[in-house]
Amino acid sequence: MWAKKLTVIKMTNSLAQATYELSSESLQNMTLDLGQLPNELTGFSLLRENILDNKTMAIHGFPGNTEEKYDEAGRLTGYLREFASPSAVPQSEDGSDIVAATVVHLFKDQEYSEKWMTDTFVAQFRNNVGNEVGENQILVAVEELEIDDFYDRSVGIRAVQSGEEGILSTTVIDFKIGRLLGVSFVVTIGDHGRTELTTMLGLELERNIVRELLATS
């Protein structure tokens, strides 16, 4: 058992070191393609993909965030690839998954990526309960999830938003590999959790990141 743990630690350390040798262009290769999505998301199609620099993050993040704050948090850049269900319309049934995505963030070093998970990711969700977080969207509840399926540290939340078109739930998982932070999330109509599906999405993203790190190191 100890030998297995030691092997995992060595692999984790080796992968962490490899994150200092990659370029920002590699991030695009890490986010999942359509064919890599779990079977539960069959029928989804590409909604958007783009570079997430700190200016873009500030525009689309929680109110009060700025490009400078993300710079101070050690974040350099990132990449998003997002998919949507053809049923992603107001008439969709309660419990329908309508959006799924993977994101990879690149930080200055792994201390910044680890700190981000609690000081930015979890903290900002918790601190914004009751606030407007999007166009006519109020964040009404946040639940922190126990996530332990990944190589290194990981955290998860389930957020519930209320708006003109009803209730939406978003299940999000962040996991760290060196100075990289992988993110998977699933948006569902109604008050539901998708921990298992979001974990499956995240684990496939983790495998994709590892493949890219091994190919570029």
Side-chain angles (χ1 to χ4, degrees):
M1 185 176 74
W2 286 109
K4 183 177 180 180
K5 285 186 177 179
L6 185 60
T7 300
V8 171
I9 291 171
K10 286 182 178 179
M11 179 180 293
T12 301
N13 290 339
S14 176
L15 290 172
Q17 188 57 44
T19 65
Y20 289 88
E21 301 169 11
L22 58 83
S23 65
S24 58
E25 288 75 18
S26 298
L27 304 185
Q28 182 174 348
N29 298 330
M30 294 176 176
T31 52
L32 299 186
D33 291 322
L34 184 62
Q36 296 174 295
L37 299 183
N39 292 334
E40 288 81 353
L41 301 175
T42 298
F44 276 53
S45 59
L46 182 65
L47 178 62
R48 59 174 174 159
E49 60 175 325
N50 54 267
I51 296 170
L52 290 180
D53 58 23
N54 287 340
K55 182 177 181 179
T56 303
M57 283 282 291
I59 292 171
H60 297 287
F62 284 107
N65 282 323
T66 64
E67 185 176 355
E68 290 73 24
K69 285 184 178 180
Y70 286 127
D71 290 340
E72 291 170 4
R75 187 183 183 277
L76 299 176
T77 189
Y79 199 86
L80 161 77
R81 189 170 284 126
E82 190 172 32
F83 303 90
S85 164
S87 62
V89 293
Q91 292 79 15
S92 293
E93 294 182 0
D94 181 71
S96 298
D97 299 320
I98 57 173
V99 174
T102 56
V103 185
V104 179
H105 300 285
L106 180 66
F107 291 84
K108 292 178 183 176
D109 61 42
Q110 56 189 336
E111 290 183 3
Y112 280 116
S113 64
E114 181 160 0
K115 193 175 180 182
W116 174 279
M117 289 193 285
T118 52
D119 293 7
T120 300
F121 169 56
V122 174
Q124 289 198 350
F125 270 99
R126 288 200 174 279
N127 293 341
N128 278 281
V129 173
N131 296 337
E132 186 171 328
V133 293
E135 191 172 341
N136 301 315
Q137 289 281 324
I138 302 295
L139 183 61
V140 297
V142 170
E143 172 192 5
E144 193 164 351
L145 306 172
E146 291 291 332
I147 306 294
D148 58 4
D149 302 89
F150 296 82
Y151 273 121
D152 205 334
R153 190 178 174 198
S154 56
V155 294
I157 61 98
R158 187 181 74 89
V160 182
Q161 296 170 230
S162 177
E164 293 179 351
E165 297 176 356
I167 298 292
L168 291 177
S169 302
T170 305
T171 306
V172 192
I173 292 174
D174 279 18
F175 63 90
K176 182 176 79 72
I177 299 180
R179 65 175 182 145
L180 289 174
L181 196 69
V183 183
S184 60
F185 68 83
V186 176
V187 181
T188 308
I189 293 178
D191 188 351
H192 301 278
R194 290 292 184 266
T195 303
E196 183 176 351
L197 178 57
T198 308
T199 299
M200 290 170 58
L201 197 63
L203 289 173
E204 188 61 37
L205 173 61
E206 184 181 59
R207 286 188 284 269
N208 226 35
I209 291 173
V210 169
R211 281 191 289 265
E212 182 66 18
L213 288 174
L214 294 175
T216 57
S217 60

